[in-house]
Amino acid sequence: MRRVYLDYSATTPVKKIVLDEMIPYFTEKFGNPSSLYELGASAKTDLNISREKVAKLIGASEREIYFTSCGTEADNWAVIGSARLKKKYGNHIITTKIEHHAILHSCEYLEKNGYEVTYIGVDEKGIVNLKELEDAITSNTILISIMFANNEIGTIQPIKEIGEIAKKHNILFHTDAVQAVGNVDINVKELGVDMLSMSAHKIYGPKGIGALYIRKGLILPSYMNGGAQENKRRAGTENLAGIVGFGKAAELAKEGLDEHIKKITSLRNYFIKEVLDKIPNVYVNGDLEKRLPGNANLTFEFIEGEALLLYLDMNGISVSTGSACSSASLVPSHVLDAIGIPVEKIHGSLRFSIGDFTTKEDLDYTVEVLIKVVDKLRSISSVSNEKGW
Ligand code: PLP
């Protein structure tokens, strides 16, 4: 059976060239970067070369990159670390209703510990309203955390403008760029962000390695207690092979960014057009322009998304009903809810995410299967409609 992977927003395969670069670090180059002898010193050198590559991808200096175990840890550190750092100046944080759970649950944790959080909404395209953001600021606001690009509907926020607002009010600004890095041209200096989270497994690197960019001069308190790794800010023996893989993946992403954006956007637009042309009552969720290149979040009316997902899986096609972490539950997506999609339509929504190994033939096959499966599911659907499906 043909296998078509259309869930690149959940995770990406490690590129062969990335894996090849990592392998020696499990065997002959296995040294601990903290060790003083040659094996450790060369590990430390290679670690810092990778740090430079990750920094370059977002226009940062290598001293501003702190490796973490994943994007989730980077998000937790940024939000909770900022709250601790700025405690004496206030207890108010602003974020959005459409953040990843790594941010939302960190904010909930802070709410239980004496902080106040404002969750601002987004419009029907999934974009934050800058006036609503500015109106939410109080004299107690210490942090704004707004994601760069959404993991479910792919919408890209006006990060530069948010950075200007944060700066004007002297408030720290963090952005969760786990989905945006490697898919959008990012320069932290031009954007005015203080902290930015990333994760290697979204850019064809390994799982279990992420990073937090922390602007020079911002002394975010350490989140882990232990050794002096990562300039005394993130204790724990470094995941050297993972870091080397992250570095290589970042280097490849930087080199191929323009080509990647062009190719993936064109495939995505082709897929959306084919689906809308060939299947009635399908809608695209999220802004069509300010959007990640590979994201197509579609609502299929009169259908249960989970049933559609399972039928697609039986035909070798992997997609998602939302973010991978929430897809195990049947709780309607908080993101689709925030853009005003009614519950029954949320249940008929799927996220298709296209990546570097997707071909036009993969998409043609997916459309062919979708036509049959959607028709079949609508014919047995208990959800009545005026067209008589
Ligand atoms: N933030 C966003 C927007 C994500 O999409 C994800 C993962 O899906 C994360 C954070 C968490 O990253 P990680 O899987 O590296 O913990």
Side-chain angles (χ1 to χ4, degrees):
M1 185 179 36
R2 191 179 182 118
R3 291 246 147 237
V4 176
Y5 182 74
L6 291 178
D7 206 12
Y8 283 82
S9 289
T11 195
T12 60
V14 175
K15 284 189 174 160
K16 172 83 170 61
I17 175 171
V18 171
L19 179 66
D20 289 346
E21 194 110 343
M22 292 170 66
I23 285 172
Y25 293 88
F26 291 105
T27 51
E28 70 264 31
K29 295 186 179 182
F30 66 90
N32 185 327
S34 299
S35 300
L36 296 180
Y37 42 81
E38 164 53 25
L39 194 63
S42 66
K44 185 156 205 146
T45 302
D46 294 348
L47 190 155
N48 285 330
I49 290 172
S50 299
R51 196 188 303 283
E52 245 174 72
K53 292 176 182 172
V54 172
K56 242 187 184 164
L57 181 58
I58 58 162
S61 130
E62 68 271 19
R63 290 209 205 120
E64 297 172 311
I65 301 297
Y66 294 83
F67 288 112
T68 60
S69 64
C70 55
T72 298
E73 185 191 326
D75 281 347
N76 274 255
W77 186 15
V79 172
I80 297 169
S82 299
R84 286 185 187 141
L85 177 69
K86 295 287 177 185
K87 198 172 179 177
K88 63 174 184 282
Y89 300 104
N91 69 342
H92 180 234
I93 290 155
I94 301 172
T95 188
T96 77
K97 289 183 179 160
I98 64 164
E99 299 297 310
H100 188 272
H101 286 120
I103 295 293
L104 294 177
H105 291 167
S106 295
C107 287
E108 283 165 23
Y109 164 81
L110 288 174
E111 282 180 293
K112 288 188 191 123
N113 285 276
Y115 290 83
E116 279 173 28
V117 182
T118 301
Y119 300 86
I120 60 170
V122 290
D123 64 17
E124 73 287 355
K125 303 273 185 202
I127 309 285
V128 295
N129 180 322
L130 295 174
K131 180 161 184 319
E132 189 183 345
L133 169 65
E134 203 152 9
D135 287 349
I137 294 173
T138 73
S139 56
N140 271 329
T141 309
I142 49 173
L143 173 71
I144 295 172
S145 179
I146 294 184
M147 70 197 322
F148 208 121
N150 184 264
N151 42 302
E152 294 190 39
I153 53 174
T155 42
I156 297 173
Q157 301 300 336
I159 295 299
K160 189 163 192 275
E161 288 80 356
I162 297 169
E164 281 160 11
I165 292 173
K167 197 161 193 178
K168 186 168 104 189
H169 293 272
N170 201 18
I171 297 166
L172 287 179
F173 175 34
H174 164 253
T175 185
D176 173 349
V178 166
Q179 292 288 339
V181 167
N183 285 307
V184 180
D185 193 9
I186 297 179
N187 184 312
V188 283
K189 305 292 169 201
E190 285 169 11
L191 294 171
V193 304
D194 295 303
M195 291 159 285
L196 178 146
S197 306
M198 15 184 177
S199 182
H201 75 100
K202 309 288 186 181
I203 61 163
Y204 308 93
K207 293 172 186 55
I209 183 74
L212 182 64
Y213 155 80
I214 307 176
R215 174 184 50 75
K216 183 167 173 266
L218 172 60
I219 312 293
L220 199 64
S222 175
Y223 194 58
M224 304 276 271
N225 302 307
Q229 292 91 353
E230 297 298 282
N231 206 11
K232 300 193 183 135
R233 301 255 211 119
R234 200 282 183 182
T237 301
E238 300 88 343
N239 171 2
L240 186 61
I243 290 170
V244 167
F246 193 1
K248 185 66 188 174
E251 184 180 58
L252 294 174
K254 176 83 185 161
E255 282 166 12
L257 189 63
D258 292 345
E259 191 51 37
H260 168 85
I261 294 173
K262 223 167 97 190
K263 181 189 148 197
I264 305 297
T265 305
S266 148
L267 280 173
R268 193 268 323 273
N269 289 346
Y270 171 75
F271 175 67
I272 291 180
K273 185 168 183 321
E274 282 291 290
V275 174
L276 298 190
D277 282 355
K278 295 186 173 162
I279 307 176
N281 295 63
V282 183
Y283 305 97
V284 185
N285 297 314
D287 196 283
L288 279 176
E289 299 298 323
K290 296 172 198 142
R291 185 182 197 100
L292 288 173
N295 178 288
N297 188 305
L298 305 176
T299 294
F300 295 82
E301 278 196 300
F302 320 120
I303 272 183
E304 282 292 331
E306 282 73 25
L308 185 50
L309 182 145
L310 293 177
Y311 272 101
L312 290 175
D313 191 29
M314 283 192 266
N315 285 279
I317 302 164
S318 311
V319 301
S320 165
T321 47
S323 66
C325 9
S326 63
S327 59
S329 72
L330 283 177
V331 177
S333 150
H334 66 285
V335 176
L336 296 180
D337 181 49
I339 62 171
I341 311 276
V343 176
E344 69 280 6
K345 291 192 180 167
I346 292 178
H347 282 303
S349 303
L350 288 185
R351 178 187 69 186
F352 300 80
S353 46
I354 291 164
D356 281 2
F357 299 107
T358 310
T359 63
K360 183 172 167 292
E361 290 69 36
D362 288 338
L363 300 176
D364 287 337
Y365 171 69
T366 304
V367 174
E368 201 184 294
V369 172
L370 272 172
I371 292 170
K372 284 190 217 139
V373 174
V374 167
D375 194 46
K376 181 183 170 116
L377 286 173
R378 280 183 179 162
S379 69
I380 57 171
S381 169
S382 59
V383 190
S384 63
N385 67 89
E386 73 282 5
K387 295 237 167 66
W389 271 304

